[in-house]
Amino acid sequence: IRLTVPTPECAKTIYEMKNAGIAVPLVADIHFDYRAALEAAAAGADKLRINPGNIGGCEEVKAVAHECQKRGIPIRVGVNGGSVEKELLAKYGSATPEALAESALDNAALLEKYGFNDIVISVKSSSPQDTVAANRIAAEKCAYPFHIGVTEAGSGDEALIKSSAGI
């Protein structure tokens, strides 16, 4: 089960679900606040989804990496068109497949810098073609497992077609 954990306080849902005896893995989806990642890890999340580029600086990423390593929690580095760093957008002109792949690999390298390597890469675009291209580029440069999907696919038949094509 994937849960959005936008604030540290929201991690209490993970505590509650774990205390209720839930048997399926819980993935905490973290945006912008490294403290939410720390709380989700302490609450018993089975995996974190983060974008190291938007949860704070190097010290914050280091704290999350350390906490997850201590608890044996894998981290999914999730990058999409909306989270590509400004420098990469300037370099490539937009959230191209190359920019997406480079962002994911750079963010994985930041975790590796702190001794963390239990990483899953997730590179998504709202374009199935760009998603496939970005994943191919990243896969040529690393051996981490990949979480495959299309972001902002929409709803109904359109979403089904875009997601199926991307996967």
Side-chain angles (χ1 to χ4, degrees), residues 28-48:
D29 193 350
I30 309 298
H31 296 276
F32 308 113
D33 190 344
Y34 82 101
R35 296 169 301 160
L38 297 176
E39 283 297 320
D46 297 292
K47 184 193 282 185
L48 296 186

Side-chain angles (χ1 to χ4, degrees), residues 53 83-94 99 102-103 106:
S83 66
V84 174
E85 295 86 348
K86 290 180 180 126
E87 300 80 22
L88 292 176
L89 292 174
K91 177 179 177 180
Y92 291 102
S94 66
E102 189 170 328
S103 177
D106 287 351

Side-chain angles (χ1 to χ4, degrees), residues 63-132:
V64 173
H66 176 74
E67 189 66 22
C68 287
Q69 186 157 19
K70 179 174 80 174
R71 297 176 181 276
I73 299 171
I75 294 176
R76 175 163 62 99
V77 173
V79 175
N80 60 44
S83 66
V84 174
E85 295 86 348
K86 290 180 180 126
E87 300 80 22
L88 292 176
L89 292 174
K91 177 179 177 180
Y92 291 102
S94 66
T96 63
E98 294 81 8
L100 291 164
E102 189 170 328
S103 177
L105 295 171
D106 287 351
N107 283 298
L110 183 59
L111 291 170
E112 291 168 345
K113 174 181 172 181
Y114 301 120
F116 189 87
N117 60 12
D118 192 359
I119 298 169
V120 175
I121 301 288
S122 177
V123 185
K124 297 180 182 182
S125 171
S126 57
S127 159
Q129 295 88 345
D130 286 353
T131 297
V132 170

